[in-house]
Amino acid sequence: MSILYRSAFGLAQDIKAGKLSAVTVLEFYLDRVEQFNSAINAVVALDTDRALARAVAADKAVAENEDWGPLHGVPMTIKDAWCTEGLVTVGGIPEHKDFIPEKNAIAVQRLVDAGAIIFGKTNVPFMSADLQSFNEIYDVTNNPWNVERTCGGSSGGAAAALASGLTPLELGSDIGGSIRTPSHFNGVFGHKSSYELITKRGHLPPGDHVLSEPDLSCAGPLATCVDDLEQALALLAGPAPDITAHPLPALPTPSFRDASHLRVAVWADDDFCPVDTAIAEHIESAAKTLENLGAHVNRSARPSIDPQANHENYLQLLMSTIGGNTPDEVQQMAREIVAAADPDDRSEALLQMRGIAMDHKGWMVQNEIRQHTRVAWEAFFRDYDVLLCPCTHVPAFEHDHHPDMQARVISVNGVERPYTDVLKWAGLTLNAYLPATAVPLGTTADGLPVGMQISSRYLGDRTTLAVARLLETHHRAFVPPPGYND
């Protein structure tokens, strides 16, 4: 029976039915890692002995009619920003190269409690703070579609491992497109959940003992099919089980009954962040598919927000969160730069410094701006079920690890654009705490994957996933990179 690119939850059903052995499935993925990982460097740490022992126990449980849960005996990798008990967790941070957590992050534990077997970790950038996955400890992860290109970040190793068939399921995190951009670059599915729907407790950063949930940062699964996203989200959703967390209401059912009742807004390109022509064309093609299914599609509808102003607001809030993990001398340097700058300077570099230097009063000002944006989005989604827009504005680009991000540039339709533009479409929806499902749509003329994000109102996760399922069924399902479907 085939294992490669099977649904993780489908594999569990076959293991529990005795059609597959958990040991056989684990050995299959370990063999895949040995065969393919050297070219892409997606899986950076293995826990082979303990994983094999758990696989043996999973098979023994089946023989004794014990059901561990919906992921019974399924091996999987975990993004190396999540703490994994007994398995090194570096997070791209050199000082953590020997850090072995004493317990799993809560989200990881929920997968383990459902029967999953964690057999390895996948690569991330330093502190998960880049849209490319490379660090001093584990080096660079390549894109399986073209090793000269980035796999994205920060869940880049996760997406590359899925695309190349090294794992059937992954757990990502997203504060700047870190689930959606790698999904788009590698041609897989990913879901960035509504803010605080999945607890980040045990994520690095901020750290394994930090109780508070960082602003903006979200979590979610990556997979090769929508069914796995939906079932994984059901397992992962929920706050930390203690008095520091507040429960969220149950996720509502999709906001439309069938395609004929679906209201779709399309935002495929914009001057605030020009989009590669191939991406915009693929988004339009996906919108046409939904239209042909009976959906009501509007290509000019927009929320009553200024997208550039949203980006400036988001960037400062983002850097305020990231700045909380920086040394005091970095924050002092940022304050000095901001104090000496022109108050009207809206350059990317200075906006980042303003975020790092921000005091609580400044944060409250930016948060108030954000809340008005959230109200505007909520009003928009009274008229539309979903918005289709880019995950980011370009396909996977060539590796560029210049230490100064402001010195990096990306070519868009032959025009050089700032590297930090990679954050603009991701922040458009993330800043308002909205859910977004990344779906593959096809490839460019030179064979690079193209995806898009499907967003909806806060806690509308099941709506975005329902539209993703429509597109998976009627437009494009997962397609492996050439050479990996063996």
Side-chain angles (χ1 to χ4, degrees):
M1 181 177 290
S2 174
I3 297 173
L4 182 59
Y5 297 122
R6 286 278 309 282
S7 156
F9 291 87
L11 288 172
Q13 290 176 356
D14 286 343
I15 290 170
K16 289 191 285 188
K19 297 177 181 179
L20 282 173
S21 157
V23 170
T24 298
V25 176
L26 174 60
E27 289 177 341
F28 171 84
Y29 283 109
L30 290 173
D31 288 344
R32 289 282 296 185
V33 171
E34 183 175 358
Q35 181 180 2
F36 291 105
N37 192 56
S38 60
I40 57 173
N41 189 38
V43 179
V44 292
L46 290 171
D47 196 9
T48 305
D49 291 343
R50 291 201 309 162
L52 280 170
R54 183 163 162 82
V56 169
D59 288 336
K60 183 175 183 290
V62 169
E64 296 174 352
N65 294 316
E66 295 179 14
D67 186 342
W68 286 1
L71 286 172
H72 185 122
V74 175
M76 64 176 292
T77 55
I78 294 289
K79 175 182 179 178
D80 193 36
W82 295 96
C83 288
T84 44
E85 177 271 322
L87 176 57
V88 62
T89 300
V90 177
I93 306 168
E95 291 79 5
H96 284 76
K97 67 183 180 67
D98 299 318
F99 173 54
I100 298 178
E102 297 178 355
K103 62 181 180 180
N104 289 318
I106 291 175
V108 174
Q109 189 61 48
R110 286 173 177 162
L111 296 169
V112 172
D113 291 344
I117 299 172
I118 310 304
F119 75 90
K121 304 297 287 291
T122 50
N123 206 20
V124 298
F126 172 70
M127 292 185 71
S128 293
D130 201 338
L131 271 297
Q132 301 175 75
S133 292
F134 67 98
N135 58 72
E136 291 181 20
I137 304 304
Y138 293 131
D139 206 7
V140 182
T141 299
N142 300 318
N143 191 312
W145 292 81
N146 183 337
V147 296
E148 301 299 319
R149 306 280 176 143
T150 180
C151 64
S154 60
S155 308
L162 277 166
S164 51
L166 309 187
T167 185
L169 186 66
E170 256 284 357
L171 174 62
S173 52
D174 190 317
I175 196 173
S178 291
I179 289 172
R180 294 159 290 162
T181 297
S183 295
H184 157 63
F185 283 175
N186 294 273
V188 301
F189 292 90
H191 183 73
K192 184 207 79 66
S193 62
S194 295
Y195 179 65
E196 288 193 326
L197 180 61
I198 301 172
T199 177
K200 295 287 296 297
R201 190 78 60 80
H203 187 277
L204 182 69
D208 58 322
H209 295 299
V210 176
L211 298 182
S212 59
E213 301 281 345
D215 186 29
L216 294 169
S217 188
C218 301
L222 295 90
T224 58
C225 64
V226 175
D227 191 59
D228 280 1
L229 292 185
E230 289 184 329
Q231 294 194 64
L233 182 66
L235 293 175
L236 294 165
D242 57 45
I243 61 171
T244 67
H246 60 275
L248 288 170
L251 288 179
T253 58
S255 61
F256 62 99
R257 294 194 300 275
D258 54 48
S260 67
H261 294 91
L262 175 62
R263 302 164 301 167
V264 179
V266 182
W267 196 348
D269 199 355
D270 197 285
D271 288 342
F272 98 99
C273 185
V275 175
D276 183 276
T277 301
I279 296 174
E281 289 175 348
H282 272 293
I283 293 174
E284 170 55 31
S285 178
K288 189 65 178 176
T289 293
L290 294 174
E291 200 167 38
N292 290 339
L293 291 171
H296 306 272
V297 177
N298 187 320
R299 294 166 175 82
S300 60
R302 303 287 184 267
S304 58
I305 65 170
D306 177 341
Q308 178 59 30
N310 177 81
H311 174 66
E312 294 176 7
N313 175 231
Y314 160 70
L315 191 61
Q316 291 176 84
L317 289 168
L318 170 68
M319 297 311 297
S320 175
T321 297
I322 293 175
N325 296 303
T326 58
D328 291 343
E329 56 267 27
V330 173
Q331 291 191 324
Q332 180 58 34
M333 177 193 69
R335 293 187 193 102
E336 293 171 359
I337 291 172
V338 171
D342 182 342
D344 295 326
D345 187 342
R346 312 304 295 174
S347 65
E348 293 278 314
L350 189 61
L351 286 169
Q352 291 187 28
M353 290 297 104
R354 285 194 176 113
I356 293 173
M358 192 180 296
D359 58 16
H360 187 61
K361 180 179 179 180
W363 185 90
M364 288 194 297
V365 170
Q366 294 301 319
N367 185 52
E368 179 66 17
I369 295 171
R370 190 238 312 267
Q371 298 307 327
H372 284 273
T373 300
R374 295 187 69 194
V375 168
W377 276 109
E378 181 61 28
F380 177 77
F381 284 122
R382 294 190 193 111
D383 297 322
Y384 299 95
D385 297 292
V386 293
L387 169 73
L388 312 183
C389 67
C391 295
T392 192
H393 62 316
V394 287
F397 48 86
E398 293 181 356
H399 300 286
D400 183 354
H401 302 156
H402 194 290
D404 179 6
M405 287 191 192
Q406 303 302 324
R408 303 177 193 171
V409 293
I410 298 175
S411 178
V412 184
N413 299 322
V415 177
E416 287 192 346
R417 300 281 302 182
Y419 179 79
T420 49
D421 275 8
V422 295
L423 294 168
K424 285 188 172 180
W425 286 100
L428 182 71
T429 53
L430 185 144
N431 197 40
Y433 296 165
L434 305 177
T437 303
V439 297
L441 299 180
T443 58
T444 62
D446 54 351
L448 294 172
V450 171
M452 73 174 179
Q453 57 176 324
I454 306 164
S455 192
S456 188
R457 61 169 23 101
Y458 181 64
L459 298 181
D461 297 67
R462 288 181 175 168
T463 295
T464 68
L465 288 163
V467 175
R469 185 180 290 279
L470 282 175
L471 289 170
E472 180 185 35
T473 302
H474 300 284
H475 190 74
R476 184 180 175 93
F478 168 75
V479 175
Y484 287 89
N485 197 15
D486 299 329

